[in-house]
Amino acid sequence: MILRLLAFIPFLAILVGVAFTNQVQPLIFGMPLVLAWQVLCVVLTAVVMTVIYLCDPANREEDKAGEDQGSAQ
Amino acid sequence: MNSALLIIFTTAVLALLLGLRARKGRDMNLEQWSVGGRSFGTVFVFLLMAGEIYTTFSFLGASGSAYGKGASTYYTLAYQLLAYTISYWLLPAIWRYAQRERLLSQPQFFVHKYDSPALGILVALVGVLALVPYLMLQMKGLGLIVSLASYGAISSTTAVWIGSAIVTAYVIASGVRGAAWNAVVKDVAILAVVVFLGIYLPVHYYGSLSAMFSAIDNAKPGYLTFPEKGQSVIWFQSTVLLTSIGFFMWPHTFSSVYTAKSARIFRRNAAILPIYSILLLFVFFVGFAAILRVPGLSGSDIDLALLKLSIQTFDPWFIGIIGAAGLLTALVPGAMILTTASTILANDVYRAGFRQQASDTTVKRLASFMVPVVALVAITLTLNGGTTIVSLLLMGYNFVTQLFPAILCSFAQRNPINKYGAFCGISAGAVTVAAITLSKSSVGGFFPFLPQMLQDLNAGMLALLLNIVVAAIVSLLTKRAGNGVSTNVSREGGT
């Protein structure tokens, strides 16, 4: 359940964040703020999803079963 | 024959050979042909999904829209991120069900979940209606790329015919396997080209990224941010939300989920794909770099920005490499779309609608026959139309997004909507999309009395809301008749 809550972070960052960053200045890494914010969201989403992937027990339990099932096809 | 043409031509031949060889050692039955025998590992599934993103759309469309429309192009980066976040839970669920029921296509998913062949046929029609513009998009892009990169030696029309012939040939031979093998080559090529162009062009022409963006901001104030009205912040939010839920609803993306051999593949990909989406940023840079360097492109010509700027910058051999990468970005999704559309027409329209006793062999034969038919329809429409790439894509997106509520609800413990609700909801949504698109209207056009903020909502959102409301009402009204829900639950429990 906590993992699913984590998944709301990218939604909030992208959809709500844009309303507060819709300006050109300051340029960040050479990019307008509004674009730089979206790029930051890319990194943030990647981190959040990696954390979810590593913590999710489903990946450990299903790992063996899933692969076996696949190769049996 | 100049060096650019030679490189493009060689690539086309290699793509054909690779696509034809992909069937090697396999008995190409229907399941192998349509969903690769459900045996693909992480890399193939990753590339089929990512391959969906790096199509001619990202190559020409995203740079073209950065060039011609400015800030609104940012949505293409943002929606992917949310789509991957959703995919972590959505795709394993779809995959498990498809695996258990041995599904071959998206309409079959609805037939099995809702126990309604009629719903399957509706979904098949909506899917094909959305796929045809998507295929046209690839062909249009292919024509542009090859004609410009060959310096006019090959006309756009000729390129569309040749490209379509190649993809038709290897799809008939290898189905989705042909697409998968070419996807490997394509992604390596596009990655190298896009990153190079995105770094080189801004530095070469402006000195640095910040110099480039400052120059654009001076020349065109307001271009780099979302405006107060029109493609405003609320437009961005609604479009991102809508396209992110539509992302995996494309029939060919949906059935590429079936190709995987385990559910874990999707979770791993959900963590890797966001980083991969950063490639689009480099495509934006190219489009922005073109604004002050190749001014004056308008209408559907904005899609030429990347190629025009490259041609005035590089030697022909490098244009050949860009052209070759561009060619592959059209062939891979083209192959996926052709495989899926043909499978749907043969399996879900013909077999489900007219001849339920037809064998897999018959359906496979008919599907192979449908490949050139679908290709010809798309070619004809492409050569006679002039809409820009992004607007074509958005229309298809709005169509497939209508399938999302019924899919999501079907995973609930007790599905709140039944087959009647799903049928009426999807129909209402699709008709609304068609009405809005054909009348070239917007939410504001239909409801001029709404506040500006709501007028800028993506029109597909209106269709989706209507879809949900209709589905809920119809399900409630038909519930008393005592069907739909109970059938669905018993099916879930089965096997």
Side-chain angles (χ1 to χ4, degrees), chain A residues 35-60:
Chain A
L35 178 58
W37 177 257
Q38 295 302 323
V39 175
L40 185 75
C41 289
V42 173
V43 180
L44 185 75
T45 309
V47 171
V48 168
M49 294 317 290
T50 307
V51 169
I52 292 178
Y53 177 75
L54 294 177
C55 298
D56 191 346
N59 291 314
R60 266 160 276 154

Side-chain angles (χ1 to χ4, degrees), chain B residues 162-181:
Chain B
I162 297 176
S164 307
I166 291 175
V167 77
T168 303
Y170 77 69
V171 165
I172 291 177
S174 310
V176 71
R177 284 188 180 274
W181 277 101

